[in-house]
Every structure is written in structure tokens, then in C-alpha cells.
Amino acid sequence: MNAHPSTLPSPGPGRARRAGAFTLIEILVVVGIIGLTLTMGVPAFVRALHKEGMRKAQSDLLEACQKARGGAILKAGTQTLIFRPMDKTFEAPGVFPMTTLPPEISIQSILLNGMQLAPEDAEVVTVRFFAKGTSDEFAIVIRSDQDGTICTVTLDEVTALADISASR
């Protein structure tokens, strides 16, 4: 026998019948927690997506060296990485596009095959990467004009792998 809704027993005196929904306070607490999480997490997320300054320069220099090395090995020939210190640009033709260092980054010095070069003295600096995974001796020192951080990117001549060291 089916009971009609009007014949169901009542919850009893002093007890309210609770529906299966959230209260306004529960919803506000959840919204507050989500707001706090976003407030703390969004700036770090945005910084990770938008590389700026020294981080961008380091990343671009490393990638250019890696692509030039890979290009030399793959085509079994010499690949060049070309720096134009006065323009603050560099490229590895055919494997890495022309890239400009961020405005707040300056080139302090360049070492190529034992010769120390000042940026204003060298119009074009060409670093060679060879088919056997080797390269010219090379180091570039860059400086952030914002916080004074100095970074040195060096190439290991034997493996042509780039290494970064930074200091303040």
C-alpha cells in the first residue's frame, strides 16, 4: 500500500525538516576558500607564464645554444650562433630565430676562444658548433639593470653544452 504524501509522518515537535541543499553560510565559506586560494596562486602562475628580465634572457640563451648544437649534430656540419652585442640580439640561422634580450638586460662581456671582447668593440660575434657535439670556447656575461644580478652563460668546449651561473 502506497502512502500518500499528506499521510507521511511529520518530523516531530521542535525538529525542522531539512532539505538536501547547502546553506548560505556553507556556500560563503567555500567561495571564501576559493578566493583565498586564487589570491595566493594567480601571481605565481602569471610569473611562470610570462618570463621576464633575467629569467627570459637565460632561457633564450640556453635554448639558442641547445638548438645550435642540435642543428650541427643533425646536419653533420657546422652551425653558427651569431651575437650582435650592440643590438643585444642573437640567432642561430635555420634553427633559432633572431631574439632580442629584454631592455633591462645588458651584455657586460663576451669571451670567445680566449679573447675577451667588450660589447662595444664587437659588431658581430660568431660561435661555431661542430658536428661531433663540440663548440668554440664561449662565455657571455649579462647583467640585470633592475636588481644588479649578473649571469654567466658558458659553453663546455668538449660537449658544447651550456651552463649558467648567477650571482648578485
Side-chain angles (χ1 to χ4, degrees):
M1 179 166 169
N2 290 340
H4 191 272
S6 62
T7 61
L8 290 176
S10 67
R15 288 188 189 164
R17 188 168 178 186
R18 184 162 185 194
F22 295 106
T23 65
L24 181 59
I25 291 178
E26 291 170 330
I27 292 172
L28 288 175
V29 167
V30 170
V31 168
I33 291 171
I34 291 171
L36 283 172
T37 304
L38 288 175
T39 301
M40 291 184 298
V42 167
F45 183 71
V46 169
R47 272 193 308 273
L49 286 179
H50 301 288
K51 295 179 186 172
E52 295 176 3
M54 186 61 82
R55 286 184 37 221
K56 179 168 178 25
Q58 289 174 347
S59 174
D60 288 346
L61 285 167
L62 275 179
E63 185 178 356
C65 291
Q66 290 169 349
K67 297 277 179 149
R69 179 181 185 269
I73 293 169
L74 286 175
K75 71 177 186 179
T78 302
Q79 175 69 51
T80 58
L81 179 58
I82 301 169
F83 286 89
R84 291 178 182 81
M86 295 302 292
D87 299 337
K88 298 193 323 183
T89 62
F90 56 96
E91 68 176 320
V95 293
F96 189 81
M98 174 83 68
T99 303
T100 303
L101 291 172
E104 66 273 11
I105 302 298
S106 58
I107 298 173
Q108 298 289 272
S109 67
I110 296 174
L111 175 74
L112 181 63
N113 295 327
M115 292 178 47
Q116 184 84 21
L117 306 169
E120 58 274 2
D121 295 338
E123 188 173 317
V124 176
V125 175
T126 303
V127 182
R128 296 171 300 169
F129 290 80
F130 304 105
K132 295 190 187 234
T134 60
S135 70
D136 287 336
E137 177 186 8
F138 175 74
I140 185 168
V141 179
I142 57 176
R143 180 180 183 276
S144 170
D145 298 333
Q146 288 181 334
D147 62 4
T149 302
I150 294 176
C151 171
T152 304
V153 178
T154 56
L155 284 177
D156 181 340
E157 299 169 60
V158 177
T159 62
L161 295 174
D163 185 40
I164 292 181
S165 62
S167 63
R168 286 200 171 209

